[in-house]
Amino acid sequence: MTPGSLVLLHAPGASAASWGDLPEMLRSYGLDVIAPDVAETGSRYVARVSLIITASGPEVPLVLVAHGDAGPLLPAVALAQRAAHRMVGGYVFVDAALPRPQGAHDHEQVPIPPDWPEAPCGYLRTHADRSASSGHDQAVRQAGLRGWTVVEHEPPAAVAQSLSELVSTL
């Protein structure tokens, strides 16, 4: 798939700076990249991201790329984009938690639309994440069980190259 715009969503509580030089590297590959910097969490995060995407005048189809705890918010961000008549062409989770059904004690989790995912999904596990918690191992396993493309990034290739290649398979 050829994306219109890649939207890089950092984990709530972090900042767009957590992506490091990835946005610029992806731009050097000729990709249109939007990396919103959002301080809010939960539904406010979704609302702020949606406003920033709108103000950026993105090209469609969008590919929503989430890191860490932004993963569970992807369905709500996608729903907001679809409501604005912007097609979402794919989802990529980079060392990210996966969306899960809302539990009784999940006050910050946003609901998952019943038709999600309506576009292809992929999971990128980076080399830097290999020493992280077993939660990432479980997310990689679950992504594979869902039939998603799973890429284990291996140096010396740049993460941007691995991400670009994964997006092209969606």
Side-chain angles (χ1 to χ4, degrees), residues 17-135:
S18 64
W19 287 109
D21 64 355
L22 183 62
E24 287 308 315
M25 292 290 297
L26 291 167
R27 287 181 187 112
S28 76
Y29 292 167
L31 297 168
D32 181 49
V33 178
I34 301 167
D37 196 8
V38 179
E40 289 82 8
T41 61
S43 59
R44 289 181 183 207
Y45 179 97
V46 172
R48 177 67 63 195
V49 161
S50 298
L51 289 171
I52 293 170
I53 293 170
T54 298
S56 300
E59 297 292 325
V60 292
L62 300 177
V63 174
L64 301 178
V65 181
H67 182 259
D69 287 337
L73 300 175
L74 280 189
V77 172
L79 184 61
Q81 296 314 300
R82 290 168 40 204
H85 306 287
R86 279 188 287 280
M87 183 180 133
V88 176
Y91 303 93
V92 177
F93 297 81
V94 178
D95 301 329
L98 301 181
R100 57 181 165 64
Q102 188 170 9
H105 301 291
D106 292 332
H107 302 293
E108 282 295 314
Q109 187 176 346
V110 293
I112 299 174
D115 65 342
W116 190 88
E118 77 297 343
C121 298
Y123 196 99
L124 174 61
R125 181 167 185 181
T126 67
H127 181 72
D129 184 60
R130 298 291 162 86
S131 61
S133 73
S134 63

